[in-house]
């Protein structure tokens, strides 16, 4: 218990206390007589911010799905090389890129794929109507850290697929398709699903990169709307709405973590 005291202190100060504070503000409403009381007005009022919720779900779903497919295929190809040195380098490189975001990432994409970016002009992306400052641009930018995250999550599973299983399938008369349908994919499915869930949560909570790229008004997202409501202050009840949205994000994050941990435990059974 003593050895876990620092961890419990950090969890209490930086997780539990902020969540409790958010809940108090989110559930506190002003009554007809001017006194504060318990209510759900801030949550029922989220319907006026439904566009931000829909946009966040759209960008997160599309971005995480594309990254999951590309990342899983990349991890599979890397695993087929069966080279421990390469696996280690890719794991480290993916870990670095997966945590590389924020304002520098947005500025890098503006320089390369913005309306005056050199890649934008070299490929003639303006002719096909592509704009970095849109939800499609957000999806493209998110791939920078989502794909490495998927590689990092799924690579151990693909590396853990043993040659003996493929050889046994061949000895029993099964083909390549049979192996993947009955052996490979069932084993890899928990890792693939957990990777997608993790990518969805990461895209859903991204703030700094999106704020620098598109601002808070052009394409509202939940994190951007929270920041906007907090700036509006108590005069427009923005703080309560921001805390209600914040609790919604906390709920999504908890669900993501629970599902991810459950699926990762299932995936780990085959790579020990």
């Amino acid at each position: 218990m003593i050895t876990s005291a620092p961890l419990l202190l950090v969890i209490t100060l930086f997780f539990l206390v902020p969540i409790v504070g958010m809940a108090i503000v989110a559930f506190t409403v002003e009554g007809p007589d001017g006194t504060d009381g318990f209510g759900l007005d801030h949550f029922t009022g989220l319907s006026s911010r439904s566009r931000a919720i829909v946009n966040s779900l759209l960008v997160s779903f599309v971005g995480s799905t594309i990254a999951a497919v590309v990342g899983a295929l990349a991890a599979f190809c890397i695993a087929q090389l069966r080279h421990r040195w390469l696996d280690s380098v890719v794991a480290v490189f993916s870990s670095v890129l997966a945590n590389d975001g924020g304002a520098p990432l947005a500025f890098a994409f503006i320089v390369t794929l913005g309306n005056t970016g050199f890649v934008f002009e070299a490929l003639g992306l303006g002719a096909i109507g592509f704009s970095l400052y849109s939800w499609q641009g957000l999806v493209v930018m998110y791939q920078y850290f989502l794909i490495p995250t998927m590689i990092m999550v799924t690579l151990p599973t693909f590396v853990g697929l043993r040659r003996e299983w493929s050889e046994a399938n061949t000895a029993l008369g099964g083909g390549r398709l049979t192996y993947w349908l009955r052996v490979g994919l069932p084993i890899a499915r928990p890792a693939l699903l957990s990777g997608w869930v993790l990518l969805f949560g990461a895209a859903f909570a991204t703030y700094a990169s999106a704020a620098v790229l598109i601002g808070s008004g052009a394409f509202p997202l939940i994190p951007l709307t929270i920041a906007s409501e907090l700036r509006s202050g108590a005069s427009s009840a923005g703080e309560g709405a921001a805390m209600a949205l914040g609790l919604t994000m906390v709920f999504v994050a908890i669900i993501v973590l629970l599902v991810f941990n459950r699926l990762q435990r299932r995936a780990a059974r085959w790579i020990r």
Side-chain angles (χ1 to χ4, degrees), residues 131-206:
S131 175
L132 182 65
Y133 312 105
S134 62
W135 75 269
Q136 295 95 336
L138 285 175
V139 169
V140 171
M141 183 178 66
Y142 286 1
Q143 302 309 303
Y144 183 87
F145 57 86
L146 292 182
I147 291 177
T149 301
M150 188 66 182
I151 294 175
M152 185 172 56
V153 172
T154 57
L155 183 58
T157 296
F158 285 121
V159 171
L161 294 177
R162 303 173 186 173
R163 293 184 182 274
E164 292 85 351
W165 299 338
S166 178
E167 294 171 355
N169 170 75
T170 303
L172 293 174
R176 192 70 174 174
L177 180 61
T178 303
Y179 168 75
W180 281 108
L181 290 179
R182 298 191 176 184
V183 181
L185 285 180
I187 293 175
R189 186 184 300 119
L192 296 174
L193 291 177
S194 66
W196 182 86
V197 169
L198 184 62
L199 300 187
F200 182 90
F204 192 80
T206 298

